[in-house]
Amino acid sequence: MAAITLPALGLFVTTLGVAILSPGPAIIAASRSAAARGRQASMPYAMGLAIGASFWCLFALFGLTVLFRVLPQSYTVLRFLGGAYLLWIAIQMWRHAADPLAMEGESVAGPGFRQGLALNLSNPKPALFYAGVIMTIFPALSTAGAAVIYLVALSVEVCFYAAVTVLMATGPMRRGYRAAKTAIDRIAGTLIGALGLTLILRH
């Protein structure tokens, strides 16, 4: 088995970081939650999103993508269920877009760790992304090497989602969100709904 080199790890971390920050349902949800509820209330949600995303790396490392190739119907079912869940989240955002926020201080109402985990597990596309990146950068991995790659992916996911939560929970971001809550929630709901619909319809 080929050794894991620092340049290869650097490329993996960079590629993963760019992918995390690209517009997607999880990053939209994490940003909105932090702006609406503050850092303390939103951090468990962010950690659920991070760990849910990292599970797709684990699944890719240990064969889920092989199942997708052998039984394409399994991927189709996961896409449909995940897309339906994203559409449900989008509808809830639209329904509650005009709801008032709590008064001063951080609101504790809203999604937590389990909801974050469920959101990132609703989209199986990261499994294919992880599989493609890992196969390209690390074509031959031992079990120990796979464990190292998973721990690196988990660390990157946790750090990025935590950073987004801290940034979006700053005073200026929260004030901006409060001033335009209805429009922001409806835009976020539309984007998440479009991503869910794309997940269902894309072959």
Side-chain angles (χ1 to χ4, degrees), residues 2-3 5 7-9 11-12 15 60-61 65 69 127-141 149:
T5 65
L9 276 178
L11 179 59
F12 178 64
T15 304
L61 284 166
T65 50
R69 286 195 292 269
L128 303 180
F129 165 79
Y130 268 116
V133 171
I134 290 168
M135 287 171 58
T136 301
I137 301 176
F138 309 106
L141 281 173
I149 295 305

Side-chain angles (χ1 to χ4, degrees), residues 72-93:
Q73 300 90 339
S74 63
Y75 182 66
T76 301
V77 169
L78 280 175
R79 280 196 304 109
F80 182 83
L81 293 176
Y85 182 63
L86 293 179
L87 286 173
W88 181 81
I89 290 176
I91 290 168
Q92 299 309 306
M93 284 187 178

